[in-house]
Amino acid sequence: TFYTQQDSTFGKFHSDTLILNKKVITNYYSISHGYPDRLNDSTDVEELLWTDKEGLVAYKFKSGIWWTKAAANIGIAASGAGR
């Protein structure tokens, strides 16, 4: 379970640019775990990154490793095949 001590605002807003795992993240909110002393396992999540456009885009494990959302492949398949 992810706990935070932040108020009703959705984390702290950042207008800078991060590059994590070759993913460019701008205009994001960072939400840190409210009780970092309770994180014991290297796979416990200690920070989330969220954007208005993409939602959850990244999170950081206690081990320091970042998971990042894969880029959406929004393309239109060639139409007319099989006609």
Side-chain angles (χ1 to χ4, degrees), residues 9-58:
T9 60
F10 195 70
K12 182 178 177 186
F13 181 74
H14 300 268
S15 59
D16 61 330
T17 300
L18 286 178
I19 300 175
L20 300 171
N21 300 334
K22 298 181 182 179
K23 180 171 183 67
V24 177
I25 303 169
T26 57
N27 298 323
Y28 61 95
Y29 297 89
S30 65
I31 303 110
S32 297
H33 198 290
Y35 301 95
D37 53 313
R38 295 183 184 177
L39 302 176
N40 299 314
D41 193 326
S42 63
T43 59
D44 288 341
V45 175
E46 66 179 14
E47 184 176 2
L48 302 173
L49 300 182
W50 186 277
T51 67
D52 290 335
K53 183 178 177 181
E54 292 187 68
L56 179 66
V57 291

